[in-house]
Amino acid sequence: MSATPRLAHVVLQTSRLEDMRDWYCAVLNGHVVHEGHGSCFVTFDEEHHRVAFLSPPETLEPHSPATAGLHHVAYTFDTLDDLLDRYTDLKSQGIDPLVPVQHGITTSIYYHDPDGNSVEMQIDNFPSVDDANSYLTGPEFDENPVGVCFEPDKMIDARRAGAPVDELITRKWALANSPDLPNPLTIFADA
């Protein structure tokens, strides 16, 4: 059996290198490892770089949801409190989410970078891969594999009031506390 690879980094091509660098450093709490010659390398952990940017001399066409390609890149946190803290920190910097989604398998908050690429910040809602796989093959996910929107500020208020994490990371909580939000697919389609 061959070895299993691990994801090392993502490289994005951009005509807005400085904006992209600053945005990803803020969102990922990262820092620049190297910049120059139309490129920039950023990390936020033990890897030498996790996100890089290439800026060709010609102006690139803007990202469009109507083109084929990568839909989003996801970054995970250990706890719901960590995810909500990052949301609060980004909001204080003027970085607002595109759409928060309770997928069931994850609690996720999506953002758009300056070029319009989608970035997911998430937590896993199950303690083990087996539990997650059981959910993925179950009726709730089969009926709606995308999930439902939720309001992070209401989740933060509930958490501060003592609501347990296990209650907050369910579609039931999201639907009960944000019943009038649109289907996440309509938001992705319009973005």
Side-chain angles (χ1 to χ4, degrees):
M1 180 180 274
S2 64
T4 302
R6 295 182 316 272
L7 181 64
H9 60 264
V10 175
V11 179
L12 300 169
Q13 187 167 263
T14 183
S15 291
R16 303 173 62 183
L17 191 139
E18 294 82 12
D19 293 338
M20 293 286 280
R21 174 202 63 215
D22 294 347
W23 192 89
Y24 277 87
C25 282
V27 168
L28 300 174
N29 198 22
H31 63 277
V32 174
V33 178
H34 172 78
E35 184 170 352
H37 308 284
S39 65
C40 179
F41 298 83
V42 172
T43 193
F44 54 86
D45 63 7
E46 72 285 345
E47 187 72 17
H48 45 77
H49 72 285
R50 288 292 185 184
V51 182
F53 310 101
L54 299 178
S55 185
E58 64 274 354
T59 301
L60 300 169
E61 294 291 324
H63 176 81
S64 164
T67 57
L70 182 69
H71 184 269
H72 70 274
V73 175
Y75 299 91
T76 195
F77 290 87
D78 290 332
T79 70
L80 178 63
D81 292 334
D82 291 341
L83 175 66
L84 295 175
D85 286 348
R86 183 60 55 92
Y87 160 81
T88 301
D89 184 47
L90 294 174
K91 188 175 175 182
S92 75
Q93 295 177 58
I95 300 174
D96 294 317
L98 170 67
V99 60
V101 182
Q102 181 47 262
H103 291 297
I105 191 156
T106 64
T107 299
S108 302
I109 304 174
Y110 290 84
Y111 294 85
H112 266 168
D113 73 16
D115 277 350
N117 301 300
S118 293
V119 173
E120 177 184 9
M121 308 298 268
Q122 60 135 60
I123 62 159
D124 286 320
N125 289 340
F126 292 94
S128 74
V129 173
D130 288 340
D131 292 336
N133 286 335
S134 291
Y135 180 82
L136 286 171
T137 59
E140 184 174 82
F141 194 80
D142 187 53
E143 182 180 319
N144 177 355
V146 174
V148 297
C149 290
F150 71 94
E151 294 177 67
D153 291 318
K154 286 186 178 180
M155 187 176 280
I156 290 168
D157 291 343
R159 188 77 180 112
R160 288 181 180 152
V165 170
D166 289 350
E167 175 186 319
L168 298 176
I169 60 172
T170 65
R171 289 183 182 186
K172 180 180 177 182
W173 184 90
L175 288 169
N177 289 278
S178 305
D180 299 324
L181 293 180
N183 181 318
L185 285 178
T186 62
I187 296 169
F188 283 125
D190 292 339

